[in-house]
Amino acid sequence: MLDSLRGFAKSWPGKIMGGFLLVGIAGFGINNVITDLGTNTVARVGNEEINSRQFLRAYQSQLNEVAQQIGSVPTTEQATSLGIPGMVLQNLAQDAALDQMADTFGLGVSDDKLSEMLRADPSFQGTLGTFDPNAFTQVLQMSGLTEAEYFKDQGDAARRQQLILSLFGDTELPATASQLINRYSADQRTVDYFVLDSFNIETPAAPTEAELAAYLTEHQTEFRTVETRSVQMLRLSPADLAKNKVISDDAIAAEYERTKANLTKPERRTIQQVVLTPEQVTAFEAGLTAGTPFETLVTDAGLTATDLGTLAQADITDASLATAAFGVAQGGFVIIDGATGKRAIHVSAIEAGGVPTLDEVRDQIAQNLALTEARNELADVQDGIEELRAAFRPLSEIAERYKLDLYEANVTANGTELAVLPDLAAEDTPRVSQAIFKATEGALTAAIPLAGNGNLYFDLTKVEPARDQTLDEVRDAVTEAMTTERTNDAILAATEEAVKRLDAGEALADIAASYNVFPQLSAPFTRFGAADGSIDGTVASAVFAGDATHHGSAVSGNGEFIVFQVVDLVQAEGPLEAAANDQLENEVRIGLYGDFVSAVRDEAGLRINQQALSQALALTTGQ
């Protein structure tokens, strides 16, 4: 059966049918037809129905995959915005259409094959690597599948695989195509070239006032200010309130005594390491047995130990290093495996862990007490600020009253100037900027909630609209722009003149000498440029635009004006390398498969029961 299917696919009638199937069905639409679909049927593809149970199982599986990528299970609204329901339906419809085609060709899977697939599935294997019936039952329960559903799904998947492999499994890249692609990617050329710059031309005349004015008029859109809004800002958060609080020594001492039982500090060790050669390993092992100090062994071996710092065990990401360093006595060392060989780990000092002294935690306790006081006062201070704002008191007065910092900035639409606010969360910057640009000068503005339990108050004190800049404001910038433009035009004209001289048969070396530059010989390069970057892709494209006698000019990606002449052309021979050829063949198969299954699905027709679909999605939200 499979041989006959392959034969049909390769025959002219089969190819003609495939052509109509893949090309003729260009449009694809989804019709919401609900009058002839059952209440439990989410969609129908041809004669095959997709019930709500199938849809929910596939939908939940897709949600789990997305959750692994973004770190959380998307809500129904998020899933809809990501197009997940539609994608799941398309995949189910695709499988259903292929199942119907497999039925048409009489494809099937034997019970022995299904049993073999079951035993080979690693999901159902126990600790000994063999099939475990308990694991099978447990996985099915977690997946919401019955045994009958599992075997039906596996059988359908196997039949689809037979169908696809029979059609596309032996697709090969034609030898001619492989050779042409290899020629395109691996042909090499070598050029003589020289580079022209501002030193190789006459300095352009300085622009006159009239020319500057005319240039500014022509390029006025490039010389405009952006709208700028001047604001005063006051931020209220526990950290802002705590910053100016003074905690007494008595309060700190009392808090230390109250929490001392819960205070701990980790043991910290000063660690060094050296990487050893096999000969040095032998010497260090002998020294370890003899009790020779680490420092002596390092000196004798002519090594320099690397200081890793004074670290707690939790600070060390290398598990083997952490275990070794915290398992050796002070002054001792141990030899362990490393990424490039053996290494000796030495502990020169140990800071004992345990309960820290008051002096060690004084600052932290003071900070915690200040934050606690600030959190307790936050609501009252916020109410007070709101009352003063309602009374139109200036922010400067409010800041002074509550000992809060007052910030000023001239803000543009992108909000970069808001960096004047210390530790402003990245997600807050656009919200604050948008609020400032929606505000009206002189009007009372609402507080802006910030990440981390804070509020920002601001007054818009001035609006500077965007406007055209005058010549007096941008004279230097306009002069520079005109000079650069004239210089580039002159260099470009020089390269065009050089190419005309090459057209006339003059030697490139003579032309280069007339511009007081030396010609250079490039290394061979492909149409993608030289490996060392001396010839970039832009210049390479210009070089490959002609044959072995080609010459011309190009402006490189970094602005160099280059005149070149091809002096050597090496054609790549033979087909692509095996790995590249295999990759391209796989891409061809994927492309054919994608077009094929889309066409099969579209020909079968997909109809959706929107009501049943909505009810199924509602079940995922617990509604």
Side-chain angles (χ1 to χ4, degrees):
M1 175 57 67
L2 293 179
D3 289 337
S4 63
L5 181 57
R6 293 190 184 95
F8 171 75
K10 295 178 180 178
S11 66
W12 282 112
K15 292 178 180 178
I16 293 173
M17 188 195 84
F20 280 111
L21 186 62
L22 296 175
V23 180
I25 307 175
F28 174 64
I30 296 177
N31 300 318
N32 295 325
V33 179
I34 63 174
T35 55
D36 61 342
L37 299 182
T39 57
N40 193 42
T41 301
V42 173
R44 177 182 293 164
V45 184
N47 298 321
E48 189 86 10
E49 290 189 350
I50 301 172
N51 60 43
S52 59
R53 179 176 170 82
Q54 291 173 295
F55 171 78
L56 285 175
R57 192 167 64 242
Y59 178 72
Q60 190 60 54
S61 176
Q62 189 63 45
L63 288 182
N64 292 338
E65 287 187 21
V66 173
Q68 291 179 355
Q69 298 172 359
I70 66 176
S72 62
V73 178
T75 64
T76 300
E77 292 75 15
Q78 291 171 332
T80 301
S81 67
L82 291 171
I84 293 177
M87 179 171 58
V88 170
L89 276 178
Q90 297 284 11
N91 290 338
L92 290 172
Q94 169 183 301
D95 289 348
L98 289 176
D99 289 342
Q100 292 179 68
M101 177 168 280
D103 288 338
T104 301
F105 284 105
L107 301 180
V109 183
S110 67
D111 290 342
D112 289 342
K113 180 62 177 177
L114 285 176
S115 178
E116 178 185 338
M117 293 168 62
L118 174 65
R119 290 192 301 271
D121 194 327
S123 302
F124 308 136
Q125 292 177 358
T127 56
L128 298 178
T130 57
F131 174 72
D132 184 347
N134 293 329
F136 174 66
T137 302
Q138 184 178 10
V139 171
L140 290 191
Q141 289 175 347
M142 293 174 61
S143 304
L145 284 169
T146 65
E147 286 192 22
E149 288 172 332
Y150 168 78
F151 284 114
K152 183 181 185 304
D153 287 350
Q154 292 299 304
D156 290 342
R159 294 191 307 141
R160 291 192 296 269
Q161 186 180 36
Q162 291 181 58
L163 177 66
I164 297 305
L165 289 178
S166 64
L167 292 172
F168 307 117
D170 56 356
T171 301
E172 295 181 354
L173 189 67
T176 301
S178 180
Q179 292 170 356
L180 287 174
I181 295 173
N182 191 43
R183 281 285 314 276
Y184 180 85
S185 61
D187 273 6
Q188 291 188 329
R189 296 195 176 184
T190 303
V191 295
D192 279 337
Y193 71 98
F194 61 88
V195 179
L196 293 179
D197 57 28
S198 59
F199 296 105
N200 309 119
I201 61 168
E202 292 186 7
T203 302
T208 65
E209 282 292 306
E211 290 171 334
L212 289 173
Y215 185 91
L216 178 60
T217 300
E218 185 178 349
H219 298 83
Q220 188 67 72
T221 56
E222 302 170 24
F223 298 94
R224 283 181 57 81
T225 65
V226 295
E227 181 177 334
T228 304
R229 298 195 159 208
S230 300
V231 291
Q232 288 186 330
M233 298 173 288
L234 180 148
R235 182 173 59 187
L236 175 64
S237 70
D240 290 304
L241 276 178
K243 187 162 53 175
N244 294 315
K245 289 192 172 296
V246 178
I247 307 299
S248 69
D249 289 340
D250 290 342
I252 294 173
E255 180 68 9
Y256 173 75
E257 292 298 329
R258 188 182 72 82
T259 61
K260 182 166 59 174
N262 298 322
L263 298 175
T264 59
K265 65 176 182 179
E267 178 183 308
R268 288 154 51 87
R269 297 190 169 205
T270 303
I271 306 169
Q272 296 176 307
Q273 78 168 3
V274 289
V275 178
L276 307 174
T277 64
E279 294 78 11
Q280 292 166 344
V281 169
T282 302
F284 271 68
E285 287 177 341
L288 184 61
T289 303
T292 306
F294 174 80
E295 295 82 0
T296 301
L297 293 171
V298 169
T299 301
D300 292 346
L303 299 172
T304 300
T306 301
D307 292 321
L308 302 182
T310 302
L311 307 169
Q313 188 165 2
D315 297 332
I316 305 173
T317 57
D318 184 333
S320 60
L321 172 61
T323 302
F326 278 79
V328 67
Q330 181 172 332
F333 71 93
V334 64
I335 299 172
I336 64 172
D337 291 327
T340 59
K342 298 284 187 178
R343 50 184 172 160
I345 308 300
H346 173 241
V347 174
S348 60
I350 298 176
E351 295 179 6
V355 178
T357 65
L358 173 59
D359 287 339
E360 290 176 320
V361 293
R362 181 183 298 277
D363 291 343
Q364 185 61 51
I365 290 177
Q367 182 180 351
N368 292 342
L369 289 174
L371 281 172
T372 300
E373 287 187 14
R375 292 190 185 99
N376 293 336
E377 297 173 4
L378 186 64
D380 291 338
V381 173
Q382 183 171 335
D383 290 343
I385 291 177
E386 295 289 356
E387 290 177 2
L388 292 171
R389 294 284 288 166
F392 291 93
R393 303 311 302 166
L395 281 181
S396 56
E397 177 185 319
I398 298 173
E400 183 178 0
R401 178 168 180 172
Y402 290 104
K403 298 181 180 179
L404 294 170
D405 292 328
L406 186 68
Y407 303 95
E408 295 183 336
N410 297 320
V411 181
T412 56
N414 60 24
T416 55
E417 300 80 7
L418 293 172
V420 69
L421 291 166
D423 303 319
L424 182 67
E427 63 267 28
D428 287 332
T429 297
R431 294 195 296 108
V432 174
S433 176
Q434 290 168 13
I436 290 173
F437 272 76
K438 288 179 180 178
T440 301
E441 185 177 354
L444 185 65
T445 56
I448 305 172
L450 300 178
N453 192 25
N455 285 296
L456 183 75
Y457 301 89
F458 74 90
D459 282 336
L460 178 61
T461 59
K462 183 181 179 182
V463 176
E464 188 71 39
R467 61 174 178 81
D468 292 342
Q469 292 175 293
T470 66
L471 181 57
D472 287 339
E473 291 177 300
V474 294
R475 183 181 307 278
D476 290 344
V478 172
T479 300
E480 182 181 356
M482 285 195 68
T483 302
T484 300
E485 184 176 298
R486 288 181 174 184
T487 300
N488 288 341
D489 289 344
I491 298 173
L492 186 61
T495 62
E496 292 173 351
E497 177 63 26
V499 172
K500 289 180 181 178
R501 293 166 67 178
L502 286 172
D503 292 341
E506 189 172 349
L508 183 137
D510 294 338
I511 300 172
S514 70
Y515 289 103
N516 296 317
V517 295
F518 293 100
Q520 303 177 57
L521 177 65
S522 75
F525 58 89
T526 69
R527 67 180 65 246
F528 307 110
D532 61 4
S534 57
I535 301 293
D536 67 8
T538 303
V539 176
S541 295
V543 171
F544 274 80
D547 56 18
T549 63
H550 181 51
H551 56 259
S553 65
V555 181
S556 69
N558 59 8
E560 288 186 326
F561 292 81
I562 295 175
V563 179
F564 64 84
Q565 184 173 41
V566 176
V567 296
D568 190 27
L569 186 155
V570 179
Q571 294 184 354
E573 297 182 355
L576 285 165
E577 294 181 356
N581 193 80
D582 292 345
Q583 183 177 356
L584 279 175
E585 285 184 347
N586 189 52
E587 293 295 331
V588 170
R589 294 187 192 104
I590 291 173
L592 289 173
Y593 169 75
D595 291 343
F596 175 75
V597 296
S598 295
V600 171
R601 179 193 61 204
D602 295 353
E603 184 181 63
L606 171 60
R607 293 179 294 169
I608 296 177
N609 184 341
Q610 193 62 50
Q611 181 178 359
L613 176 61
S614 299
Q615 291 174 347
L617 291 173
L619 292 175
T620 65
T621 62
Q623 299 176 353

